[in-house]
Amino acid sequence: MIRSLLAAAAVSVASSLPAFAEPLKFAVTDIEGLETLQQEFGAFEAKLEELTGQQIELFPVSSRTAAVEALNQDQVDLVLTGPAEYVVIKELTDARIVTAWQRPNYYAQIVTLSDGPIKSVQDLKGKVVTFGSVGSTSQHLGPAQVLADFGLVYNTDYQPQIISRNTAIEALIRGDVAAVGMNESHLGRIREAFPEVSFTVVARGRDLPNDILVARSDADADAVAAVKAAFVDHAPELMAAILTGEDNQKFKGGFFLTEVEDSDYDYVRSMYATIGVDTKSFVGN
């Protein structure tokens, strides 16, 4: 009897949701391969389908450039991407903002040795400062902007180098470089990996703009509205589904924000200007 009532209730809820003809294809720019995408977002896909009555289809992309091509060729409807990628995607596709995905404690910082010669940002003049993944918001663009906010001009007042984070830390310990740009979670892992070394943050930037879910400009407006409404009305359920993914733990403790403007990402655009490139292409391409 109880089982029958539950089944009837499920049918009632499903029948109250709008019916959409075509599935919405969902891509994530920093995850390659369908298997990994399913591992990270399979539970989210199922929950979003349940809440919207809309079929969601995970669509793997091999790169951020491939995501742009997929949007422009109507192969994908929704793309989750980082702030540095968003400003280029917006420039090249005119994608529409659906919702922002907050990452707590997401900011860039400049790290040195506590017992080293660098005691302030100004001490970095003429020195080598390393950055991580080229074009990364929190490892390259953000740290460069932190230094710019403190008055240091990129590639003029100091020598920037792109070096993988672990290699850069080893070089910092040897004294070959003066500082390393990274985010808060990176520093936590570095302190665990090098417990015998004391590190100091000499500059910290403002919280970085959030990751963001965008929709293709001509995607079904009603279907996209249903997705946005799900984030408004069922945020805890969707967050719980997202956090089943290992890589998605970066969103733990965060929120979905639906009152988001394109101008909120002007700080990211200033980062591109700081390193001397425009937003018509991805850094490093």
Side-chain angles (χ1 to χ4, degrees):
M1 180 66 175
I2 294 175
R3 186 174 299 174
S4 299
L5 289 173
L6 290 174
V11 170
S12 176
V13 170
S15 64
S16 69
L17 294 171
F20 301 103
E22 298 295 329
L24 285 178
K25 295 183 178 180
F26 178 94
V28 182
T29 55
D30 64 351
I31 294 180
E32 293 187 26
L34 181 58
E35 181 178 356
T36 303
L37 187 58
Q38 288 173 334
Q39 289 173 350
E40 292 292 327
F41 285 92
F44 166 76
E45 173 192 24
K47 179 57 67 174
L48 191 58
E49 286 183 341
E50 173 191 330
L51 296 173
T52 63
Q54 166 70 52
Q55 183 181 354
I56 307 297
E57 181 180 329
L58 296 179
F59 185 92
V61 291
S62 59
S63 67
R64 52 199 180 177
T65 299
V68 167
E69 294 172 351
L71 283 165
N72 284 332
Q73 294 173 11
D74 297 347
Q75 295 175 338
V76 69
D77 303 287
L78 300 167
V79 176
L80 177 64
T81 194
E85 292 79 13
Y86 163 72
V87 297
V88 178
I89 289 174
K90 176 65 176 175
E91 180 96 20
L92 300 179
T93 71
D94 197 30
R96 293 178 287 153
I97 294 173
V98 179
T99 183
W101 296 28
Q102 186 186 49
R103 294 170 58 173
N105 300 318
Y106 184 46
Y107 52 82
Q109 52 193 357
I110 305 299
V111 176
T112 64
L113 296 178
S114 298
D115 59 358
I118 306 301
K119 304 303 180 184
S120 73
V121 172
Q122 298 306 313
D123 291 336
L124 292 173
K125 286 187 175 180
K127 303 296 195 301
V128 174
V129 179
T130 74
F131 303 105
S133 179
V134 62
S136 164
T137 310
S138 65
Q139 297 184 66
H140 181 200
L141 299 177
Q145 187 61 41
V146 170
L147 292 177
D149 292 343
F150 277 87
L152 269 63
V153 178
Y154 188 83
N155 209 28
T156 298
D157 289 328
Y158 63 94
Q159 182 183 347
Q161 290 185 3
I162 304 296
I163 304 176
S164 67
R165 192 167 58 253
N166 289 343
T167 301
I169 290 299
E170 291 170 355
L172 177 67
I173 293 171
R174 290 195 306 269
D176 296 338
V177 305
V180 181
M182 65 185 73
N183 67 35
E184 187 267 347
S185 64
H186 294 151
L187 180 56
R189 291 196 289 271
I190 285 166
R191 283 177 164 149
E192 290 180 1
F194 298 90
E196 74 286 357
V197 180
S198 178
F199 299 97
T200 292
V201 175
V202 293
R204 177 199 186 281
R206 50 153 282 185
D207 281 7
L208 294 164
N210 302 298
D211 286 13
I212 194 160
L213 179 65
V214 299
R216 181 166 48 84
S217 59
D218 58 350
D220 185 304
D222 290 336
V224 173
V227 169
K228 187 168 185 174
F231 282 101
V232 173
D233 299 332
H234 302 279
E237 295 169 69
L238 286 172
M239 182 59 76
I242 286 165
L243 292 178
T244 60
E246 181 178 350
D247 187 62
N248 290 337
Q249 298 309 304
K250 60 191 176 186
F251 298 116
K252 187 175 183 178
F255 293 86
F256 300 120
L257 307 173
T258 53
E259 299 300 321
V260 186
E261 302 293 336
D262 175 71
S263 59
D264 296 340
Y265 291 80
D266 286 347
Y267 184 62
V268 180
R269 294 181 174 97
S270 70
M271 298 176 189
Y272 278 78
T274 289
I275 66 170
V277 300
D278 59 37
T279 57
K280 297 184 186 302
S281 63
F282 297 107
V283 180
N285 282 11

